[in-house]
Amino acid sequence: MSPDTPLSLLGLSTTPLELVSFALAVVTVWLNIRQNHWAWLFSILSSVLYAAVFADARLYGDAGLQFVFVAVSVWGWYQWLRGGVAHQPLAVSRLQRGGWGLMLAAWLAGWWMLSWFLQRYTDTDVPHMDGFLTAGSLVGQFLLSRKKIENWLVWIAVDVLYVGLYVYKHLSLTAMLYALFVLMAAAGWRSWRRAAAQAGRPA
């Protein structure tokens, strides 16, 4: 069977490639919630496979984003293991004062640049939404790499919108995956807040 051969799962149209990507992505987020550094390995594998899935759906921003995720995952893996004080494992923390402003500014700047690029140089039919969510995902991934609790809030917002985008693109299984991600991100938010509180840091 070819990786892009259409198949039906529980009444949903999908492909073997999307199915494997789905499973790896779920494992990634589950390990992230548990602060297990092996999450980054599964993130790399899932990103490589999803790049092919999204390229086939003409979601070029999301496809390119996956390769950025691979690079950021390598960096994030190092940060979780050696990014803390004296090269100790990184601890969960909150954004410092002004961090929200910088995050939103980076998101808006990324949205503008990506939307312009996608509209001008690709045949995507959703350049603005693709650009907005791609930029938001980069912000979320950076915050996750630095173990900032707020990464989960970014992912909740992004994932809710991704559900609608993937339904529109007939990526039914991936839409379900991102609906699950919303619930998992909410669980991650609660879990990391508890971890920060137990360590004596404001949550």
Side-chain angles (χ1 to χ4, degrees):
M1 179 184 294
S2 171
D4 57 357
T5 299
L7 57 84
S8 179
L9 179 67
L10 301 177
L12 299 175
S13 176
T14 185
T15 64
L17 186 62
E18 186 184 10
L19 189 58
V20 173
S21 303
F22 176 104
L24 290 173
V26 169
V27 173
T28 297
V29 178
W30 180 73
L31 291 173
N32 280 333
I33 292 172
R34 298 174 63 85
Q35 298 184 52
N36 187 313
H37 69 89
W38 289 109
W40 297 107
L41 174 61
F42 287 91
S43 176
I44 291 169
L45 296 173
S46 175
S47 295
V48 170
L49 295 182
Y50 258 122
V53 172
F54 293 143
D56 186 60
R58 293 194 300 157
L59 290 170
Y60 302 117
D62 285 332
L65 176 64
Q66 302 311 306
F67 294 105
V68 177
F69 276 175
V70 170
V72 174
S73 293
V74 173
W75 179 72
W77 202 345
Y78 174 81
Q79 289 296 310
W80 279 33
L81 291 175
R82 296 288 184 268
V85 177
H87 299 291
Q88 294 299 307
L90 194 62
V92 171
S93 64
R94 296 188 71 96
L95 283 172
Q96 295 180 353
R97 182 175 297 179
W100 273 106
L102 289 173
M103 180 189 70
L104 291 173
W107 192 337
L108 290 174
W111 179 24
W112 181 83
M113 289 186 291
L114 288 166
S115 295
W116 173 83
F117 178 86
L118 292 168
Q119 190 170 32
R120 185 175 181 87
Y121 295 107
T122 75
D123 63 347
T124 181
D125 57 338
V126 286
H128 301 298
M129 181 59 76
D130 197 2
F132 181 78
L133 295 179
T134 298
S137 296
L138 288 171
V139 170
Q141 192 75 349
F142 174 78
L143 294 176
L144 176 63
S145 298
R146 290 298 300 162
K147 273 197 175 180
K148 298 298 182 182
I149 295 173
E150 291 82 1
N151 90 87
W152 296 112
L153 298 179
V154 174
W155 286 122
I156 289 171
V158 167
D159 292 342
V160 166
L161 294 175
Y162 264 133
V163 171
L165 178 60
Y166 294 144
V167 168
Y168 173 74
K169 282 294 187 175
H170 307 293
L171 295 171
S172 303
L173 187 62
T174 299
M176 287 187 62
L177 170 65
Y178 276 74
L180 176 60
F181 278 172
V182 173
L183 300 178
M184 295 181 78
W189 166 251
R190 292 192 299 269
S191 176
W192 282 31
R193 280 171 56 90
R194 285 195 301 268
Q198 290 169 1
R201 291 182 295 275

